[in-house]
Amino acid sequence: MHEYLRAVGFSEIENKEQLNFLLQMTEESYQGERTSGNRNGVDFSERKKEFAPGMGIILRGEYDENENYRRDYYFPYFQGKQEKLYDSVTVERHAEKESYAGVCDDLSLGVSIIFYVQNVADLLNEKRLNQLSSCAVTLRFTGLSVSGKVLLPVIKGMTEEENSDAVLQRTKLIQAARDGDEEAIENLTLEDMDIYSMISRRIANEDVFSIVSTYFMPYGVECDHYSILGEILECKQVENSLTEEQIYVLTVESHDLIFEVCINQKDLLGEPQVGRRFKGVIWLQGEMIFHP
């Protein structure tokens, strides 16, 4: 069973019989389907069933020569609304099945982001038409979490405007450093040394989470899993229509990256409110919106 089923409200599924019932329901009463030809020349299909607003189960499979549908695998999904344009996104197929990982550089984070592609049928159609390898797309990032907690906010040393200016300046420095600007590389190195020195002084008397307000970093051995800490900008609660389990949908800002996280009420420690912070591990998904 998929570890992140509980994130979309299926925490009580305990055996294969219950899982097969859920997948059969999804297969027979799906609410949307996208198809495309895959690299083997057969019709690839994505069937989607929503159990709460913007979240549910996606089945992926193929149609045989007699137009009979054959389910290959499934995964829980969560669709977000926060969009961000990236100049270059690269996609690579996973070795064992028709699923894809996307990679993009986010200069505000200073690292490459690896995510699980939600809409593979759209991707395959785009690849067939345009021989896609790397292109500019709009991404909607979302995170599914099975473990998280709410932290209190910290006092900010800069105003929103000052923080935006600082992020913009650092983004420009990172871009210049990637282009080989030695002065930018030196400035970034000195800045990192100053930050390290400041943390070393304060950590003796303060908790680390009063010093570090946000972070976004890889977690474990799976490339699309991240440990995050970010400010909660919006919070709402939705209900799984089948299980009636309550799910929190949090809009989180981490290092100038804004995206949504869904987590089962049972798995979140604390009461989420706007201004507080979310700390947890997420499975990062991304919906790719292609531009003509």
Side-chain angles (χ1 to χ4, degrees):
M1 284 173 286
H2 203 290
E3 179 184 0
Y4 285 87
L5 272 177
R6 63 184 300 114
V8 296
F10 294 105
S11 66
E12 300 299 324
I13 292 182
E14 298 176 347
N15 54 55
K16 287 188 176 181
E17 184 179 345
Q18 294 172 323
L19 177 61
N20 287 333
F21 174 79
L22 174 63
L23 298 183
Q24 191 66 31
M25 176 194 301
T26 303
E27 183 175 333
E28 294 175 354
S29 60
Y30 61 92
Q31 296 157 326
E33 182 178 32
R34 301 282 292 174
T35 60
S36 176
N38 66 9
R39 63 177 183 167
N40 298 320
V42 299
D43 287 334
F44 173 82
S45 166
E46 272 182 341
R47 292 185 176 183
K48 179 186 297 184
K49 184 170 179 61
E50 189 175 272
F51 290 94
M55 65 184 73
I57 304 292
I58 289 180
L59 300 180
R60 287 179 177 159
E62 298 176 347
Y63 285 97
D64 62 20
E65 62 275 6
N66 298 317
E67 296 299 315
N68 295 317
Y69 178 77
R70 185 177 70 251
R71 185 174 73 230
D72 186 13
Y73 67 98
Y74 76 97
F75 67 96
Y77 78 93
F78 172 44
Q79 284 182 299
K81 298 178 181 177
Q82 303 295 326
E83 298 182 352
K84 189 169 183 179
L85 178 66
Y86 289 89
D87 293 332
S88 179
V89 177
T90 303
V91 290
E92 292 289 342
R93 184 184 184 274
H94 293 135
E96 79 280 12
K97 56 191 175 185
E98 196 74 55
S99 63
Y100 288 78
V103 184
C104 62
D105 289 329
D106 194 299
L107 295 181
S108 62
L109 292 175
V111 297
S112 295
I113 299 176
I114 302 175
F115 60 93
Y116 188 86
V117 177
Q118 284 183 347
N119 52 331
V120 166
D122 293 337
L123 172 65
L124 292 176
N125 285 326
E126 190 72 17
K127 289 184 73 171
R128 189 174 69 246
L129 293 173
N130 300 319
Q131 300 298 313
L132 176 69
S133 59
S134 180
C135 65
V137 298
T138 297
L139 288 174
R140 293 175 180 162
F141 285 127
T142 53
L144 280 70
S145 179
V146 294
S147 177
K149 61 181 66 175
V150 177
L151 303 183
L152 293 175
V154 292
I155 298 175
K156 296 181 180 179
M158 295 186 291
T159 64
E160 291 293 333
E161 184 176 350
E162 290 172 337
N163 184 62
S164 297
D165 290 342
V167 170
L168 180 61
Q169 182 63 30
R170 182 171 176 81
T171 300
K172 289 180 179 178
L173 281 175
I174 292 174
Q175 182 61 60
R178 290 190 173 189
D179 293 337
D181 189 323
E182 293 186 5
E183 185 178 351
I185 295 173
E186 184 178 344
N187 287 337
L188 285 171
T189 303
L190 291 173
E191 185 179 311
D192 288 344
M193 291 174 63
D194 289 341
I195 292 173
Y196 178 79
S197 177
M198 178 272 293
I199 291 175
S200 298
R201 290 196 310 271
R202 293 180 57 182
I203 199 68
N205 301 307
E206 298 180 50
D207 181 83
V208 65
F209 293 116
S210 67
I211 303 171
V212 179
S213 58
T214 67
Y215 61 73
F216 190 101
M217 58 187 184
Y219 178 84
V221 296
E222 295 193 64
C223 298
D224 49 15
H225 285 53
Y226 293 89
S227 178
I228 69 163
L229 173 63
E231 182 181 351
I232 299 173
L233 304 179
E234 187 179 340
C235 173
K236 63 180 179 180
Q237 201 167 340
V238 299
E239 182 178 273
N240 184 301
S241 59
L242 183 65
T243 64
E244 298 183 349
E245 292 185 23
Q246 300 299 309
I247 305 157
Y248 283 118
V249 176
L250 311 175
T251 302
V252 175
E253 180 177 11
S254 179
H255 275 279
D256 205 39
L257 181 65
I258 300 175
F259 58 99
E260 285 139 325
V261 174
C262 73
I263 182 170
N264 198 304
Q265 186 183 45
K266 301 175 182 178
D267 297 324
L268 183 63
L269 179 63
E271 185 69 27
Q273 290 185 14
V274 174
R276 294 180 179 179
R277 294 178 294 167
F278 171 80
K279 176 182 176 292
V281 175
I282 64 167
W283 175 34
L284 189 67
Q285 297 183 353
E287 180 182 6
M288 304 178 71
I289 304 170
F290 300 96
H291 302 286

